Amino acid sequence: MKIALINPNIVSQKVDLSGSGIPYMPIGLAYLAGYLREQGHDVNVIDAFGEAYDRVRSDGPYYIQGLTPEEIFNRIPSGIQVICFYAHLTVIHNSLLEIIRFIKKRLPECPAVVLENINKVNSYSLRQVYSDFFKAGADYVVLGYLEKRTQRLLDAILKNGPADKHDGVITRNNHDSFMPPHDFSKAVNLDELPFPAWDLFPLNNYWKLGYAHGPLTTEKYLPVLSSRGCAYNCGFCIIPEVCDRKWKGRSAQNLVDEITFFGRKYGVTEFHFEDVNPTLNKERTKEFCQLLIERNIRITWKLAQGTKLESLDSDTVDLMARAGCNYVSMSPESGSQRVLKLMDKPVNLEHAVNIFSSMKQKGIYTQACFVLGYPGENDADLRETARLVRKLAKTGVDEVGLFIITPMPGSKIYGQFLDKFQKLNQLTFTPKWRKDYKKVSAFRKSMYIQYVLIKMLYHPIRMLGYIRSLLTKRFRTKVEMTIFRKLKVAWLAHSSRMA
C-alpha cells in the first residue's frame, strides 16, 4: 500500500520554558516507517516541522513551527491509500485536529489513522480523547505499540475487513467497544524490529536547529529508544495507562549495533536516549557500557528524558562515564515523602543525593526534576522540596527542572482537573489556567533564584562553564540550550512575519 506518515508541527507556549517547543525527533514514527517499509509498503513521510523548521507563525499564546495544513496537503503524493497522523504531544492537539480537518475535507475517501505516542511523559493517552479525532474526520485510532498493530489495520483496510476485531484499534463506527492493547503482556521482542528509518526524515534540518531535547554538544545527534514502558505507577504520568505498567527493553547488543550502524551511515557520535526508564535493568546497562568500552566505540550519550535513580549505583555510574555517558536527567520529584506517597512514586531521597554526587565526581552533567503543585501538596511539602533543591545545588547538580503539574490525559490525576481547563493544548508545564498558578509560579521562581545563587557560591567555576557553553553553542545542560532555543524561535517568528 502507498502510505503517508505525517509528523505534525512543533507547538510552543510562548511563556513556557519547560516542555513545549522541544524538537523531539519522532522516533516512534521512524520505527513505524522502517517496519512498514520492511513489510513491503510504499512509505512516504511528511515532517511538518522538520521540513520547515525555520518558519514560525503566531497563534495567540502559542508559536507553531513548520508547514501550514495546506502545505502538508500539497506534499501528499498522488495515489495515496492511507494517511497516518502522529499524535506525539498533548500541546499539539489542536494543531493536529486542524491538519486532519483540512486534509479530510479534500480527501474524504482516504482512510485517516491517528497514532499514539507511548514514549513521552508529556504525550497523551488517545483512549481518553479519541472522540476529538473522529469529529475532525479521522477513521481509526491506533494505541500502544504501533508496528504490528498498524500493519494488521492496513491489511484489514486493504481487504475491506473488520478493523475493530483487532486489539488496540479504535474505529469511528465501533468506538464504544474497542479492545485495549494486548501486546504489553506478551513477549514482544524489540530486537526483531528494523532500525528507525531516519533516511525518510529531514535529518539535516534537525541538525541545523542547533538545539534538541537533551543538551546538544556536537553538530549531529540521533535519538535512541532502548526500551518501552515503565513498571512504576506515578500518578502524574501517562505511561502506566498507555503501557499497562510493563517495561520491555532491547538487548545491549542490539543497541550497540544500532549506534554503530548510524554512526557509520551519518557520522554521528552523539546519541540521546529518549525512553522514560532506560536503566531499569541494571545488568543490561552494565553490558551496554562494557560493549562500548570493549569495542572502543567512542561516542557520547545522554539520558535526556530521565531514568529511575534507584536503578543506579556508584559502580554503574563509573562504568557509564567510562563508556561515554556525559549527561543524565533524574527525577526525585519532591522533597516530601508525603507527596511522593500521594504520587505513588517510591524514591530514596538519600540515595538520590549520593547518586548525583557520584555523577559529579565522574564528570557526568546532571539534571534533577521536580513536580510542583501536585494535588494534596501543602506549604510544608514545598518547604521540604526547597530544602532538597538547595542541598542538591550544594552537592553540584548542574540544573534543576521545576515543573508545575499539569494533568495529561491518561494520568491518574487527569479526572481531577477536567473542569479546570478548556483545551488540551493548555496542558503544558506552565498551566496558567490553574487557580493557584501565581502562587506555585512564584515559588518556582524563588527556587530558581536560590539555586543559581547557591551554585555561584559553591561552584563558581562550573557556572562560568555554563556561560561559555551558551556562547559557543556546545551545550552541557538543557538550561543553556533553552535560552538559545527561546531566542532563536522568537527571532524566527520575527523573520517569518517580515518575509
Side-chain angles (χ1 to χ4, degrees), residues 332-334 336-345 347:
E333 307 297 11
S334 175
S336 166
Q337 286 293 347
R338 192 185 75 86
V339 172
L340 291 171
K341 187 174 182 180
L342 290 174
M343 294 176 180
D344 198 11
K345 177 163 185 172
V347 178

Side-chain angles (χ1 to χ4, degrees), residues 118-121 145 184 227-234 236-249 275-281 305-309 311 333 344-346:
I118 65 170
N119 301 307
K120 284 284 178 286
V121 295
Y145 288 21
F184 307 123
S227 66
R228 300 185 185 184
C230 180
Y232 293 92
N233 197 33
C234 304
F236 55 82
C237 187
I238 70 161
I239 304 299
E241 176 165 306
V242 299
C243 289
D244 196 30
R245 293 190 65 184
K246 301 294 191 304
W247 182 90
K248 295 183 184 299
D275 30 339
V276 298
N277 214 336
T279 62
L280 187 65
N281 184 329
Q305 183 157 219
T307 197
K308 194 75 172 71
L309 56 90
S311 65
E333 307 297 11
D344 198 11
K345 177 163 185 172

Side-chain angles (χ1 to χ4, degrees), residues 188-437:
V188 177
N189 188 349
L190 299 179
D191 286 4
E192 295 177 353
L193 298 175
F195 296 150
W198 290 123
D199 56 296
L200 299 179
F201 291 80
L203 290 181
N204 283 324
N205 283 354
Y206 279 93
W207 295 333
K208 287 177 185 177
L209 276 171
Y211 59 88
H213 175 211
L216 183 59
T217 310
T218 60
E219 294 183 355
K220 297 179 179 180
Y221 77 102
L222 279 175
V224 175
L225 198 61
S226 79
S227 66
R228 300 185 185 184
C230 180
Y232 293 92
N233 197 33
C234 304
F236 55 82
C237 187
I238 70 161
I239 304 299
E241 176 165 306
V242 299
C243 289
D244 196 30
R245 293 190 65 184
K246 301 294 191 304
W247 182 90
K248 295 183 184 299
R250 297 163 57 192
S251 69
Q253 178 69 58
N254 187 250
L255 288 173
V256 173
D257 287 346
E258 178 183 338
I259 286 170
T260 303
F261 174 78
F262 285 125
R264 290 172 177 169
K265 183 171 184 177
Y266 296 116
V268 174
T269 59
E270 181 173 338
F271 294 86
H272 296 186
F273 282 67
E274 290 290 351
D275 30 339
V276 298
N277 214 336
T279 62
L280 187 65
N281 184 329
K282 186 184 297 185
E283 294 309 310
R284 186 190 73 139
T285 303
K286 290 182 176 180
E287 182 184 357
F288 170 70
C289 294
Q290 289 165 346
L291 285 172
L292 291 177
I293 295 169
E294 290 169 3
R295 297 187 184 183
N296 196 30
I297 300 174
R298 299 189 176 184
I299 62 168
T300 57
W301 50 282
K302 311 167 193 279
L303 303 186
Q305 183 157 219
T307 197
K308 194 75 172 71
L309 56 90
E310 281 81 7
S311 65
L312 301 173
D313 55 33
S314 58
D315 290 340
T316 307
V317 168
D318 177 67
L319 197 58
M320 290 167 61
R322 291 195 286 121
C325 180
N326 66 2
Y327 180 89
V328 175
S329 175
M330 294 181 288
S331 300
E333 307 297 11
S334 175
S336 166
Q337 286 293 347
R338 192 185 75 86
V339 172
L340 291 171
K341 187 174 182 180
L342 290 174
M343 294 176 180
D344 198 11
K345 177 163 185 172
V347 178
N348 184 330
L349 295 178
E350 182 179 353
H351 179 71
V353 174
N354 292 335
I355 287 297
F356 280 117
S357 177
S358 177
M359 288 187 174
K360 183 179 186 303
Q361 293 172 15
K362 298 300 179 181
I364 297 176
Y365 286 77
T366 54
Q367 178 190 43
C369 295
F370 294 86
V371 168
L372 307 177
Y374 194 82
E377 184 180 61
N378 58 37
D379 290 345
D381 298 315
L382 288 174
R383 286 194 292 271
E384 290 189 61
T385 294
R387 279 193 288 271
L388 180 57
V389 170
R390 290 191 291 266
K391 185 173 185 178
L392 290 174
K394 294 177 183 178
T395 300
V397 166
D398 292 285
E399 61 180 337
V400 292
L402 304 174
F403 302 97
I404 300 177
I405 195 66
T406 199
M408 300 299 180
S411 64
K412 286 191 293 185
I413 64 171
Y414 179 59
Q416 300 180 41
F417 290 89
L418 278 175
D419 60 342
K420 310 297 183 184
F421 60 91
Q422 295 179 329
K423 297 180 180 180
L424 289 180
N425 63 344
Q426 293 178 288
L427 300 182
T428 69
F429 294 120
T430 303
K432 301 188 73 173
W433 50 268
R434 285 186 54 151
K435 290 184 178 180
D436 61 351
Y437 174 75

